Structures are given as C-alpha cells and as structure tokens.
Amino acid sequence: MLYRTDAFEETHINPITQKAYDDTWLVVQLTDAADYQMLCGSRNGCAYTLKVSRRFSGWEFAVGDFLDFYANGGKNVLAVLSEADLQAVRSIYGSHSCRDCYLRTGEPTVLVHSTNFAAWDSIQKDGCLLSFNRLKARKNDLDELPIGKQLGDLEEFSDYIMFGSGSAISGELVELSRQRGKILTDESAEYRTGVRLYFDARKIAEGGLLVRDGMHLKVKDQLELKPYLLFCATWDTVGLPSPIATPREFAEAANVHFERASTCHR
C-alpha cells in the first residue's frame, strides 16, 4: 500500500503507524540535494530508504520504478514528496513498467557485473550468472553474506543479479568491499582484481529480463552468458602489470579495451 507524507524524519519511528518500522515498510524520498542523484540504505533504525534528488533529470522515472516495483510485493511504501510531485511522477511515468522490454532514452546500452576468479570459474561451468540466493541454494556451505547487508539492503535483493552501467566503477568497489569485509568507496585503494563482465543491455531488456527498482538495474535469479555477454576483462588481458590494482585503474583499463573490441566488431 502507498502512503504519502510531506514531512519525514529519518528515525526508527514510522510516522504512519507511530511505531517502529517492521520489514514490510520502505521509504522513497524526493530531496533537493546537490551532492547526489540517488542514495539508498537504512539509517537510524529507519526502513530501507531510496533518496532521489529532483536535480537528477530522471527523478520521475526513478520514483516511478520504485513505486511500480514494490506495488505488488506485499510492501508498504511511504512516499515523502508533495501531492503535486506525486502527480508529476504518475503523469510522466504513465504506462511504463519497471520491466519495460526495451531500453529507455538515457539508459545504458552496456551493463557490467564484477566478480572474482573463483566465481568466474563456476560461472563459466554453469554458462550463466546466478543470484546470491540461487547460488546459496546450490552450495549449502556458502555462509558469506552479501556485502550490501552492511548498507541495509533488503533480503530480497539476494534474489537478483545487480549491474552497473558500462563505465561504472561501482562493481569494483563492491569487490573491494567484499575483500576488506566492510563498505569502502575509495577508488584508489588496492585490491585483487577479478573479472569484469560486459553485457548487452538492449538484448537483456528485449528478452524481458531487465528489472528496474528505482536505484538498480538487475536480473532475477539467473542470466545466461549467451547471447548476452559481450566482453570479459581480466588484469592481464587489459594490460595491467599485476592482479593487484585499484578499482579505478582496473575499470578504466577494462573500459578502454572493451571500447576497442567493440569498435573492431562494428
């Protein structure tokens, strides 16, 4: 169910129930922030919250996708925005769906997923990427928790494979954080590079597999490598002298080689 409010304080008290949030509640908040486009997570005991800045040109679609994605999932959504802004979202979002089977204007044509070498070996044997929960169901001894748990990620996130845009460094930061056992966003911190996989976003969307939740582009359960995988980058194939590098070094070198390979195949 959707609830709207103009005023909101990010605490453990739900302004609708006047009680502590339980796991059925989510928050989406429209802000005027200049230092981010979108932020997500849980703070001060509050429910999982997506903050979207109206300075982000696609904020109506971000909020619309969030509302659409959680509309039928048994969740209660608290929308922190004016009635006029909510109507603007509904008007602009229109008949769109968070599962639109095409790429919208401005959406990335290439999606990236980063992983380590051990996982890559399994991925190649399976011929597909698997979500954390699919992988855990297959491997009963998998006791490692997704690093996003430290940010307050929802349990159901583990049903999905998350992607970044083609040039994004976010996947490398996730791998850096996994190796360090804590959330790190330092693009110049050293880590052991793994494998950076580039996928055809248009084909994924046209195959009905692309899901948008307002913040993330993702695929549920599994994604076959064929016909979606475009390019695979490792430290040695992109010209780095060692598997030890920084997220920025590896991502930038991989992006350059991917662009070269894409140009050669045009």
Side-chain angles (χ1 to χ4, degrees):
M1 186 171 292
L2 176 64
Y3 300 84
R4 190 196 64 79
T5 182
D6 292 299
F8 173 69
E9 192 172 348
E10 198 170 8
T11 70
H12 69 289
I13 297 299
N14 185 328
I16 303 300
T17 65
Q18 297 301 313
K19 298 178 181 178
Y21 288 98
D22 60 31
D23 59 7
T24 67
W25 283 87
L26 301 163
V27 178
V28 58
Q29 181 180 16
L30 183 62
T31 76
D32 293 305
D35 56 339
Y36 64 80
Q37 291 186 346
M38 290 185 282
L39 284 177
C40 62
S42 178
R43 297 179 56 212
N44 304 325
C46 188
Y48 177 85
T49 300
L50 172 63
K51 297 177 182 178
V52 183
S53 174
R54 69 171 67 251
R55 301 192 185 200
F56 169 44
S57 62
W59 69 264
E60 296 94 343
F61 276 94
V63 175
D65 281 333
F66 186 94
L67 297 179
D68 186 51
F69 180 78
Y70 291 109
N72 300 308
K75 296 288 189 180
N76 294 306
V77 175
L78 178 59
V80 186
L81 73 176
S82 69
E83 180 63 34
D85 284 329
L86 181 58
Q87 292 308 315
V89 169
R90 287 172 170 164
S91 174
I92 292 173
Y93 197 75
S95 60
H96 281 282
S97 163
C98 64
R99 293 173 173 80
D100 281 340
C101 294
Y102 55 88
L103 288 186
R104 302 169 185 162
T105 300
E107 288 187 325
T109 58
V110 176
L111 299 177
V112 169
H113 182 82
S114 300
T115 190
N116 56 59
F117 280 108
W120 176 230
D121 286 340
S122 296
I123 290 166
Q124 291 180 93
K125 291 175 184 176
D126 294 335
C128 64
L129 291 177
L130 296 175
S131 69
F132 181 87
N133 282 344
R134 278 288 177 95
L135 191 60
K136 190 177 177 89
R138 176 178 295 186
K139 297 183 178 181
N140 294 326
D141 60 344
L142 184 65
D143 55 5
E144 181 182 353
L145 291 176
I147 192 65
K149 285 291 184 183
Q150 296 186 27
L151 285 175
D153 280 359
L154 301 174
E155 188 69 32
E156 51 262 46
F157 278 15
S158 295
D159 288 330
Y160 292 85
I161 305 158
M162 302 293 191
F163 295 90
S165 65
S167 60
I169 299 178
S170 55
E172 308 315 320
L173 294 175
V174 170
E175 182 58 22
L176 165 68
S177 299
R178 188 193 66 80
Q179 291 179 22
R180 298 288 186 91
K182 60 182 180 180
I183 300 296
L184 289 176
T185 58
D186 184 359
E187 298 176 359
S188 61
E190 289 192 337
Y191 76 126
R192 180 170 291 276
T193 61
V195 182
R196 188 169 165 90
L197 304 172
Y198 294 75
F199 290 88
D200 189 325
R202 192 175 306 280
K203 282 186 178 179
I204 293 173
E206 291 173 351
L209 301 175
L210 188 65
V211 181
R212 309 157 179 88
D213 65 10
M215 180 75 178
H216 309 100
L217 296 175
K218 55 192 183 181
V219 170
K220 190 171 186 182
D221 293 331
Q222 71 180 60
L223 178 68
E224 304 297 323
L225 296 183
K226 294 181 180 179
Y228 305 111
L229 181 63
L230 297 172
F231 187 74
C232 170
T234 58
W235 68 273
D236 49 345
T237 62
V238 301
L240 294 180
S242 163
I244 305 300
T246 70
R248 176 166 292 281
E249 287 170 342
F250 182 43
E252 288 184 347
N255 290 342
V256 167
H257 279 70
F258 169 67
E259 287 298 328
R260 288 176 182 169
S262 299
T263 300
C264 289
H265 288 90
R266 287 171 187 164

